[in-house]
């Protein structure tokens, strides 16, 4: 619980409304852009800039970075989720040094793992490395703002689009919501995790997360390996 409050000290999430297209871009357009070696959004270069804390990155860069990872060979969300769960356990046990090592390992596999950045930031904070913790937390902020910009999450027509079910869990956690139930549903040829939650004022409502990308591309990757 202490970790949740610490996260909120630094970051308050916002949920701007957008159409189901990712800020007006199709998945195919994102795929083409991040795989174009001559383009400005070529994924290896974009990921390197992000990892090196390039403060000149813009919203469109983060969008390409987060959703474009789906079209990289390393994308394998369900495999990484096991490591992310282990990382959360290490931070909960206050094993900061071990957590930082594991977070670095996860980021080598997945440069847009929100869990790795927030858990690493918390572990750095716990080991009195505040300046580095802020850098990691800022990466988390940028990625979380990107996925929150995909939709309001109030319906199948306007879901929050995630590239890992773990990211949906982080959204719920960041808003300090109590999960009453969770179901996976299909609708209109897409797949959704639907959380029924209760906020701190007692209000209950559903949150819709579009998990089509991990459920299709991610599951295919998992089965191939």
């Amino acid at each position: 619980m202490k970790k949740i409050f610490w996260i909120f000290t630094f970051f308050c999430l916002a949920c701007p409304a957008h159409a189901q297209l990712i800020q007006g871009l199709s998945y195919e357009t994102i795929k083409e852009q991040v795989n174009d070696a001559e383009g400005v959004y070529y994924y290896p270069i974009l990921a390197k800039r992000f990892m090196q804390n390039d403060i000149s990155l813009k919203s469109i860069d983060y969008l390409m970075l987060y959703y474009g990872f789906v079209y990289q060979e390393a994308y394998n969300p369900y495999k990484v989720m096991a490591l992310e769960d282990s990382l959360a356990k290490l931070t909960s046990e206050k094993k900061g040094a071990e957590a930082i090592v594991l977070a670095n390992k996860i980021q080598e596999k997945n440069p847009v793992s929100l869990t790795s950045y927030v858990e690493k930031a918390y572990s750095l904070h716990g080991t009195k490395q505040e300046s580095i913790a802020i850098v990691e937390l800022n990466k988390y902020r940028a990625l979380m703002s990107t996925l929150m910009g995909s939709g309001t999450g109030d319906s199948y027509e306007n879901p929050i689009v995630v590239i890992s079910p773990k990211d949906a869990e982080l959204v719920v956690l960041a808003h300090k919501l109590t999960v009453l139930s969770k179901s996976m549903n299909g609708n209109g040829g897409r797949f959704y995790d639907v959380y029924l939650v209760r906020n701190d004022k007692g209000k209950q409502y559903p949150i819709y997360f579009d998990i089509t990308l991990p459920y299709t591309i991610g599951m295919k990757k998992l089965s191939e390996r």
Side-chain angles (χ1 to χ4, degrees):
M1 185 63 68
K2 180 180 178 182
K3 180 163 61 180
I4 298 173
F5 292 136
W6 180 80
I7 293 170
F8 257 77
T9 300
F10 288 90
F11 184 40
C12 181
L13 296 172
C15 306
H18 289 286
Q20 188 164 343
L21 286 175
I22 308 300
Q23 295 188 12
L25 296 177
S26 69
Y27 295 116
E28 188 59 34
T29 296
I30 294 172
K31 180 179 180 180
E32 290 175 358
Q33 291 291 322
V34 298
N35 290 322
D36 179 3
E38 302 299 322
V40 295
Y41 302 115
Y42 184 48
Y43 203 86
I45 301 301
L46 201 57
K48 183 178 181 180
R49 291 175 62 196
F50 178 66
M51 296 302 288
Q52 292 179 342
N53 311 318
D54 186 342
I55 61 174
S56 69
L57 289 171
K58 299 177 174 59
S59 296
I60 183 64
D61 297 315
Y62 290 117
L63 184 149
M64 293 293 181
L65 184 73
Y66 181 72
Y67 294 104
F69 182 59
V70 171
Y71 305 109
Q72 306 307 301
E73 179 62 28
Y75 178 63
N76 199 335
Y78 294 101
K79 184 175 181 180
V80 172
M81 280 174 64
L83 294 176
E84 291 173 330
D85 287 339
S86 296
L87 175 58
K89 186 172 185 294
L90 287 175
T91 57
S92 295
E93 294 173 351
K94 301 188 184 304
K95 297 180 179 179
E98 294 177 50
I100 292 167
V101 170
L102 181 54
N104 289 335
K105 179 179 178 181
I106 292 171
Q107 289 166 10
E108 290 175 1
K109 299 175 181 292
N110 177 2
V112 292
S113 165
L114 277 83
T115 296
S116 71
Y117 290 109
V118 73
E119 297 290 354
K120 183 179 177 183
Y122 184 72
S123 295
L124 288 164
H125 169 71
T127 54
K128 310 302 181 184
Q129 301 179 69
E130 299 293 348
S131 61
I132 308 176
I134 292 298
V135 171
E136 296 299 300
L137 192 63
N138 283 339
K139 291 178 180 177
Y140 165 80
R141 289 177 175 176
L143 294 172
M144 182 64 88
S145 293
T146 297
L147 73 91
M148 292 302 293
S150 65
T152 59
D154 62 351
S155 67
Y156 286 118
E157 293 72 33
N158 200 11
I160 297 169
V161 182
V162 296
I163 67 170
S164 169
K166 195 73 174 177
D167 295 345
E169 294 177 13
L170 282 179
V171 171
V172 173
L173 175 67
H175 283 86
K176 297 188 288 185
L177 301 171
T178 299
V179 177
L180 303 177
S181 68
K182 173 188 170 184
S183 62
M184 192 186 81
N185 303 324
N187 185 279
R190 303 190 68 78
F191 300 93
Y192 301 84
D193 273 345
V194 182
Y195 285 77
L196 178 62
V197 300
R198 182 178 61 236
N199 64 20
D200 56 3
K201 296 180 180 179
K203 181 180 178 180
Q204 297 183 18
Y205 54 92
I207 305 178
Y208 296 80
F209 294 96
D210 186 329
I211 59 165
T212 305
L213 292 171
Y215 192 74
T216 54
I217 299 175
M219 289 300 290
K220 185 173 184 292
K221 285 283 188 75
L222 188 64
S223 65
E224 288 173 349
R225 296 172 186 242

